[in-house]
Amino acid sequence: MSHPEIPRVDAREKVRGATQYTADHALPGLAHATLAVATIGRGRILSLDTDAARRVPGVRLVLTHLDTAGLQSAGFLLGGGYGFQSLQPLLGAAIAYRGQPIALVVADTLEAAREAAALVRATYAQDAISVTLDAPGAEILAQADSPLPKPAFADRVVGDADGALSTAATRVDATFQGPPQHQNPMELLATVAEWSRGELTIRESTQNAEALRHGLARVFGLAPDRIRVLSPTAGGGFGQRNSLQAHTALVALAARELGRPVKLVVPRAQIFNNASFRPASRHTVRLGADASGRMVAAVHEIDHQTSRHDLFPLSYADLTARLYGIANFRGRERLVRNDIQTPGFARAPFEHIAACAFEVAVDELAYALGRDPVAFRIANDALTDPLTGRPFSSRHVVACLERGAERFGWERRTQAPGSMRLADGTLVGWGVALGAYKAATAPAIAMLRVTDAGEIFVSVGGHEMGQGIRTAIASTVAVDLGVPAEAVNILVGNTGSVPQHLTAGSWGAATALPAVHKAALNMLRELGRLAGNGPANRTFLQILRDAGRSHVDVEARHHAPGQPDAIFDRVAQGLPAAAGPAYPDFVSMSFCAQFVEVRIEPRTRRIRVPRVVSVVDCGRVISPRTARSQVLGGVVWGIGAALREVSEVDPRYGGFVNADLAEYVIPVNADIGTIEAEFIDAPDPLINSMGVKGLGEVVMVGVAPAIVNAIHHATGRRLRHLPVRVEDAL
């Protein structure tokens, strides 16, 4: 059973405007910074003219690559470093991509800083650029031959997929294009840096406070204990805030040079061109089935973008190999080097577009066989993990599909494309798709204090990005200790308490909650020891007071199955230490079945999504209210990814040209119909003591293919790209 539903513990502060985000901090003597950025796509700075910028009244500092001697790169997060990319702007004259910072201007006011940044002039030696997968100059690198860690990012091969395909009774061959897309959290990237007696305090909304701390320590040659990062709340993350940003060290340098705190709020246009994003990708999917309708072979070949200075590894086939019980699978993955900033993780980073390509092909195969798309998926479910042969810790795919079909009313669907219409001629399509996402876990340390004033304090590794981790923690402590949730005070995102492991990959709850649960049990044991043989039914307060104690502290540690205790040394260094989906004895994943209705207007051909039913297997549901919110958010983003969102590149000059929320089109309220969420709510018996698997990203995974499949059902057209536009339905 799920935990009782409690209100979000931070809701009152948010709706009252009391929650403080990074840009809200106004420290005494605060100066304001603005970036000047490169206007070429690749080349080298020949000269910089900052005289006009320095003459603007109120300007206190202009930093360029001539002012950064002694600093070094923090390194790439996936290369043993801490940054979203290895390239640290202003450490040299080379320009790797359009939008790369070339100067930081600091002034007494934001207006003066902006005016001065616009006056920075540069001359360049330009090189030819390549910013798309097939552009001249794009460099293709086979991932299997790259220096990336193995076998984590090696190609996925089981059985003889090509041989089985050649003899399959029915085959499908499709190539699908995935566009570049950007996360657009409501809160902009921002940093406030302050030095005091040689120690640095950084206020920045992040998913990875330790990467900021240790990355800045590397940049400045400082001991990490001289840096503190405070990130109590972020206004959305979605992967964009999972590491040290390119600007953070520059703000810290400016604060040190000026001897006063400095704030930088990065405009959205600069975020588009100087932060991580979902890279463009191309997927070729070949499927084969035997005469009985069993899928016997699958090939999934992928190319995706990376920068020239980093290798952002692929893991699309890790998902598609596990969606079904296909005995013969081959996943070939290649990197394509372009003149761009290093791409990164966006919500369901690989899984969203991989499932879209694969599930559209699965739907096409079902139609080729004359099978109902839901029944076909159920018939091809996996009993064990196809890649490793290990059992799944839990897998309720069939239940998700069956419950979703019943709730959606799937039995009323007619199979023939174009066969369902409204009286006014509106085309109606019903589509289904399966989604999955790894159930990962990272190490966490939780500290719990109970005081004789009735207060409860919890410190644990984790970051609150709006997903509701505070509420889940409060619910866990409330149930375990039998106290009101509002009595629980929670400290997360603070490097001055306990190590703060990266919160991403949907492992936040599965990481923090078991450690908190263990700490609560330790607290009950310690209070029981203090109570001794004293009177029964005393409250915690009475036990403490009778024992002459003002408070009791306990600590608990938790890591993934199979991880050694030494893994906490890696956490202490600020390095990622997550495990999964493959564990020593099992494989653990979350699953979701998405059922979607689309309606296509008869004259304008505008595509609407009036109804979505999502049924999710995410293990035990600890916080029903925030879990449902995660489903709603994932579905909305899936609708945007399918029908709206694309980051348009300029192949001539580089950079993204629709770098604002006016032209990067996202869904609005009028685009969203009814979203129904249902949870299997079956605790996973193996993944952790609470049976919790991830939820935040799995919901998005199947939405886009369900929409594309519904559009086929409405129109008879098989579409091979995202986003789907009006002209695709003409």
Side-chain angles (χ1 to χ4, degrees):
M1 297 294 293
S2 63
H3 276 212
E5 181 163 331
I6 64 171
R8 291 186 68 118
V9 298
D10 52 4
R12 180 175 174 80
E13 287 72 19
K14 284 188 175 182
V15 298
R16 290 173 54 242
T19 300
Q20 275 207 326
Y21 298 92
T22 299
D24 296 325
H25 289 281
L27 304 177
L30 184 69
H32 298 268
T34 300
L35 293 167
V37 300
T39 56
I40 65 167
R42 185 184 182 192
R44 185 175 183 83
I45 299 171
L46 296 179
S47 66
L48 271 173
D49 184 351
T50 61
D51 290 344
R54 295 178 192 275
R55 288 196 296 268
V56 172
V59 168
R60 302 300 174 190
L61 183 68
V62 179
L63 291 175
T64 73
H65 66 279
L66 302 176
D67 305 303
T68 58
L71 272 60
Q72 61 177 315
S73 167
F76 179 37
L77 183 70
L78 298 180
Y82 300 98
F84 95 86
Q85 62 179 4
S86 62
L87 189 155
Q88 172 60 57
L90 271 64
L91 293 192
I95 300 300
Y97 54 89
R98 187 179 183 89
Q100 179 181 323
I102 59 172
L104 182 79
V105 178
V106 187
D108 294 333
T109 66
L110 178 58
E111 293 77 10
R114 286 177 174 171
E115 179 184 350
L119 295 174
V120 174
R121 296 288 181 264
T123 59
Y124 305 95
Q126 296 191 49
D127 297 329
I129 65 166
S130 171
V131 293
T132 60
L133 289 172
D134 298 314
E139 179 187 357
I140 298 176
L141 176 65
Q143 180 161 276
D145 298 327
S146 76
L148 295 166
K150 297 179 179 63
F153 299 117
D155 292 348
R156 303 311 194 200
V157 178
V158 177
D160 180 10
D162 297 285
L165 267 176
S166 67
T167 60
T170 305
R171 295 188 292 270
V172 165
D173 190 330
T175 298
F176 199 94
Q177 302 288 340
Q181 295 174 329
H182 277 76
Q183 318 93 321
N184 276 284
M186 291 181 67
E187 183 189 12
L188 297 171
L189 296 179
T191 301
V192 178
E194 182 180 22
W195 293 81
S196 177
R197 295 184 294 276
E199 296 188 349
L200 172 63
T201 298
I202 293 287
R203 292 174 173 85
E204 180 172 317
S205 298
T206 182
Q207 298 171 237
N208 196 349
E210 292 293 351
L212 270 63
R213 182 164 76 108
H214 288 267
L216 290 169
R218 180 179 292 184
V219 170
F220 289 100
L222 291 174
D225 59 9
R226 293 177 62 190
I227 301 173
R228 185 175 185 181
V229 177
L230 305 176
S231 184
T233 304
F238 314 115
Q240 188 181 78
R241 305 178 193 270
N242 77 346
S243 45
L244 180 65
Q245 303 293 331
H247 68 269
T248 307
L250 305 180
V251 180
L253 176 61
R256 188 180 70 178
E257 294 299 305
L258 284 178
R260 57 191 285 196
V262 174
K263 177 196 293 185
L264 170 65
V265 180
V266 184
R268 199 169 295 275
Q270 291 184 355
I271 293 174
F272 266 76
N273 289 292
N274 203 48
S276 65
F277 65 100
R278 190 194 307 280
S281 61
R282 178 171 50 236
H283 304 252
T284 297
V285 178
R286 293 190 287 274
L287 301 176
D290 62 20
S292 72
R294 184 74 188 177
M295 285 191 280
V296 295
V299 172
H300 188 183
E301 297 178 329
I302 309 103
D303 292 343
H304 95 168
Q305 291 177 303
T306 190
S307 66
R308 295 201 189 272
H309 44 277
D310 294 313
L311 299 178
F312 177 54
L314 300 75
S315 57
Y316 300 93
D318 251 5
L319 170 81
T320 51
R322 292 180 160 115
L323 285 174
Y324 299 100
I326 304 175
N328 302 285
F329 184 93
R330 179 172 64 82
R332 189 273 287 148
E333 303 179 324
R334 299 190 304 184
L335 300 163
V336 181
R337 280 176 156 160
N338 283 148
D339 300 305
I340 55 176
Q341 71 264 35
T342 302
F345 299 100
R347 195 177 201 175
F350 307 108
E351 294 79 5
H352 148 68
I353 193 62
C356 197
F358 204 84
E359 281 291 87
V360 168
V362 167
D363 216 66
E364 185 171 349
L365 184 59
Y367 266 84
L369 291 164
R371 300 287 298 276
D372 173 79
V374 172
F376 182 65
R377 286 170 168 83
I378 290 174
N380 282 279
D381 189 34
L383 300 178
T384 58
D385 174 44
L387 284 181
T388 65
R390 298 171 193 164
F392 288 102
S393 60
S394 61
R395 182 181 172 104
H396 301 289
V397 169
V398 172
C400 289
L401 288 165
E402 289 178 343
R403 287 196 197 181
E406 180 180 3
R407 189 161 182 169
F408 194 79
W410 189 260
E411 76 280 357
R412 300 194 304 274
R413 178 185 186 268
T414 54
Q415 178 83 341
S419 61
M420 298 175 68
R421 294 175 182 250
L422 301 182
D424 65 355
T426 295
L427 296 172
V428 177
W430 287 7
V432 64
L434 182 62
Y437 194 85
K438 63 185 178 183
T441 303
I445 299 173
M447 297 181 66
L448 183 61
R449 168 174 288 190
V450 173
T451 75
D452 62 356
E455 297 174 307
I456 299 170
F457 297 93
V458 181
S459 297
V460 67
H463 300 77
E464 177 61 76
M465 304 168 288
Q467 83 277 33
I469 195 169
R470 279 197 176 91
T471 303
I473 292 170
S475 177
T476 299
V477 175
V479 169
D480 287 344
L481 297 186
V483 298
E486 55 268 24
V488 183
N489 301 280
I490 300 162
L491 186 65
V492 292
N494 188 324
T495 61
S497 57
V498 295
Q500 300 293 309
H501 188 277
L502 163 65
T503 303
S506 290
W507 61 60
T511 294
L513 299 190
V516 170
H517 174 61
K518 189 175 180 181
L521 297 182
N522 290 346
M523 178 61 72
L524 290 175
R525 282 192 288 270
E526 179 61 18
L527 289 170
R529 188 188 67 80
L530 287 176
N533 296 319
N537 300 321
R538 286 179 295 168
T539 66
F540 296 161
L541 281 66
Q542 291 168 331
I543 292 172
L544 288 175
R545 290 170 180 171
D546 291 348
R549 298 282 295 274
S550 62
H551 64 272
V552 172
D553 291 327
V554 297
E555 178 185 298
R557 297 181 172 220
H558 181 269
H559 55 63
Q563 285 186 327
D565 289 340
I567 197 68
F568 289 101
D569 295 337
R570 185 172 173 86
V571 178
Q573 297 173 52
L575 296 170
Y583 298 93
D585 300 319
F586 57 85
V587 171
S588 191
M589 302 191 77
S590 295
F591 301 95
C592 184
Q594 298 288 2
F595 291 80
V596 168
E597 177 179 322
V598 301
R599 295 185 181 182
I600 303 176
E601 296 176 356
R603 287 172 292 278
T604 67
R605 311 301 281 185
R606 184 167 55 181
I607 303 168
R608 295 290 196 186
V609 182
R611 190 163 63 106
V612 178
V613 170
S614 302
V615 183
V616 189
D617 165 26
C618 60
R620 187 184 191 188
V621 176
I622 298 298
S623 173
R625 182 169 300 194
T626 57
R628 183 174 181 274
S629 293
Q630 287 290 302
V631 174
L632 300 182
V635 169
V636 170
W637 199 348
I639 292 171
L643 301 177
R644 300 286 188 271
E645 297 183 47
V646 56
S647 301
E648 303 283 2
V649 298
D650 189 329
R652 303 166 301 168
Y653 307 113
F656 297 98
V657 297
N658 59 331
D660 56 54
L661 292 183
E663 294 185 309
Y664 185 90
V665 185
I666 60 176
V668 297
N669 285 348
D671 296 316
I672 306 302
T674 300
I675 302 173
E676 299 180 45
E678 182 172 331
F679 299 97
I680 301 298
D681 198 15
D684 187 292
L686 300 177
I687 185 67
N688 55 58
S689 60
M690 301 187 72
V692 176
K693 299 192 291 188
L695 173 60
E697 297 180 81
V698 68
V699 178
M700 185 187 178
V701 176
V703 177
I707 291 172
V708 174
N709 290 336
I711 291 170
H712 166 261
H713 183 233
T715 66
R717 298 184 182 184
R718 284 290 177 196
L719 302 176
R720 309 289 192 209
H721 61 267
L722 294 183
V724 178
R725 303 180 187 274
V726 170
E727 55 265 32
D728 294 315
L730 291 176

